[in-house]
Amino acid sequence: MSTKKQILIIDEMHPSIIPLLEDAGYHVDYRPEIQRAAIMELISQYHGLIIRSKTPMDRPLLERATNLQFIGRAGAGLDQIDLDYLAESGIQLHNAPEGNRDAVGEHAIGALLSLFNHIKKADLEVRKGIWDREGNRGEELAGKTVGVFGYGNMGQAFAKKLAGFDVRILAYDKYKEGFGSASIEECSFEQIQREADILSVHVPLTPETREFFTLDLLKSFSKPIYLINTARGEVISFDTLNQALDLGILKGAVLDVLENEKFKSFTEVQKQEFQKLANRENVLFSPHIAGWTFQSYEKINQVLVHKIKNHS
């Protein structure tokens, strides 16, 4: 093998990642087809690992990575990585939320506007020769209060793009303060519960945020809201969504992420609850693509390699 530091890429990446890493002085093995057993067999040879989300980075795998100096996560979420083991072992972790935050912000707004204006329903009807103007009367975003739950890269990008829509923006982050501005009101979660018409979720999946949005919590909002979730589906269950929609606590939902995104592994209860959601016209789905644009695919590489060069 080469005397250069070795990097193994175990997921599909934009092809620009290879020359970017080679220019930074690394030898790259691009193996997007590789499966867990082979990774565990080979991982001790590598100084760096580039991943998406195919393979959990748990302790049994990481214990084999005896020469590993860093992991590069092509994306934002870290919920499949044993962060405690990395800290114990001195393995650096780089992720790239800066690479897809603009994509997430645009998608969240686009999907909300589509829901408000019945774009999907109206399009399907017109294609069938149905010209129903009254049944597709829209809802305006202007004048509404939007709560942003989590003010990291994604929440900030969403709020920045939203600022031109003549809305009031309330932002809450349990772990940040002093980020308010002329267009963003920093606030408590309780204020969002009192005042928001729309809630957009931008938090990572942690033990604290898993199933954070219970029916009781949603009942404590002072008025019915629209929910946007482009973060992690596990923060709210199918069952909670259905109950809140049935009770009118939720007026509608934009869901780019689901409690379980592997349809074939649904439990019987999940199948039933998902089908209820799928039958609703006031729910808009997409397959975890909010951050998945042609531009973000390449920008993530640039962000990752910059961090690897500067910190590894």
Side-chain angles (χ1 to χ4, degrees):
M1 291 180 82
S2 165
T3 55
K4 293 181 177 180
K5 286 190 174 182
Q6 312 290 319
I7 292 182
L8 176 64
I9 300 174
I10 64 168
D11 286 285
E12 196 85 33
M13 299 281 292
H14 187 278
S16 64
I17 192 72
I18 297 171
L20 283 170
L21 286 168
E22 288 175 344
D23 289 348
Y26 293 95
H27 174 85
V28 181
D29 283 344
Y30 184 61
R31 299 280 305 277
E33 79 298 335
I34 197 170
Q35 298 300 312
R36 182 180 174 87
I39 295 167
M40 292 183 75
E41 190 177 320
L42 298 172
I43 191 64
S44 63
Q45 302 172 26
Y46 293 93
H47 302 96
L49 190 62
I50 306 287
I51 66 171
R52 283 194 181 276
S53 54
K54 176 179 75 181
T55 306
M57 293 291 114
D58 52 27
R59 191 168 290 254
L61 188 150
L62 292 170
E63 283 175 343
R64 302 281 193 98
T66 48
N67 288 304
L68 197 64
Q69 296 173 359
F70 67 86
I71 292 175
R73 161 71 168 103
L78 305 177
D79 41 282
Q80 293 209 81
I81 302 171
D82 188 330
L83 303 178
D84 291 336
Y85 184 86
L86 296 192
E88 290 167 21
S89 307
I91 298 170
Q92 294 184 7
L93 176 62
H94 308 296
N95 66 336
E98 302 89 345
N100 61 354
R101 61 189 175 191
D102 287 326
V104 170
E106 289 185 15
H107 182 100
I109 292 171
L112 181 64
L113 292 173
S114 179
L115 184 69
F116 272 17
N117 294 285
H118 311 290
I119 302 296
K120 182 180 77 167
K121 174 176 172 284
D123 175 74
L124 289 171
E125 288 176 355
V126 172
R127 289 170 191 271
K128 294 174 184 173
I130 300 167
W131 195 261
D132 179 12
R133 296 182 70 216
E134 186 55 38
N136 289 298
R137 189 186 288 270
E139 184 80 37
E140 290 185 18
L141 187 49
K144 290 186 169 51
T145 297
V146 183
V148 181
F149 183 71
Y151 204 64
N153 280 282
M154 308 305 171
Q156 289 173 44
F158 173 69
K160 180 181 177 183
K161 295 173 192 315
L162 195 61
F165 283 87
D166 295 326
V167 293
R168 182 176 174 218
I169 302 171
L170 302 177
Y172 166 73
D173 193 306
K174 183 175 179 180
Y175 300 101
K176 283 187 172 182
E177 57 183 27
F179 56 78
S181 67
S183 59
I184 313 294
E185 295 178 49
E186 182 180 344
C187 70
S188 65
F189 185 57
E190 290 72 24
Q191 186 178 353
I192 286 178
Q193 289 178 298
R194 287 194 307 271
E195 300 176 21
D197 301 297
I198 299 156
L199 178 68
S200 190
V201 179
H202 299 280
V203 291
L205 181 63
T206 66
E208 187 177 23
T209 61
R210 186 180 291 274
E211 294 193 359
F212 179 87
F213 291 97
T214 61
L215 188 62
D216 284 343
L217 182 101
L218 292 173
K219 282 180 177 176
S220 66
F221 279 73
S222 66
K223 53 186 168 180
I225 60 168
Y226 292 91
L227 177 72
I228 308 169
N229 189 6
T230 55
R232 282 292 184 265
E234 295 92 334
V235 303
I236 185 167
S237 69
F238 294 154
D239 177 55
T240 298
L241 285 163
N242 276 314
Q243 289 186 69
L245 286 158
D246 284 342
L247 292 169
I249 295 166
L250 289 183
K251 295 172 80 172
V254 167
L255 304 174
D256 183 55
V257 288
L258 300 176
E259 169 193 351
N260 183 352
E261 294 176 3
K262 294 182 171 65
F263 288 176
K264 290 179 181 176
S265 70
F266 277 5
T267 64
E268 282 306 313
V269 171
Q270 285 176 333
K271 283 179 189 173
Q272 292 168 17
E273 293 293 335
F274 176 75
Q275 195 53 54
K276 282 186 201 172
L277 284 175
N279 289 338
R280 298 179 187 271
E281 287 187 345
N282 60 343
V283 175
L284 188 65
F285 296 103
S286 52
H288 205 145
I289 55 168
W292 197 250
T293 63
F294 291 103
Q295 290 76 22
S296 71
Y297 197 30
E298 194 164 359
K299 280 195 282 187
I300 281 170
N301 288 353
Q302 295 160 2
V303 170
L304 263 190
V305 175
H306 178 74
K307 290 183 178 182
I308 289 167
K309 282 168 66 175
N310 285 353
H311 300 109
S312 297

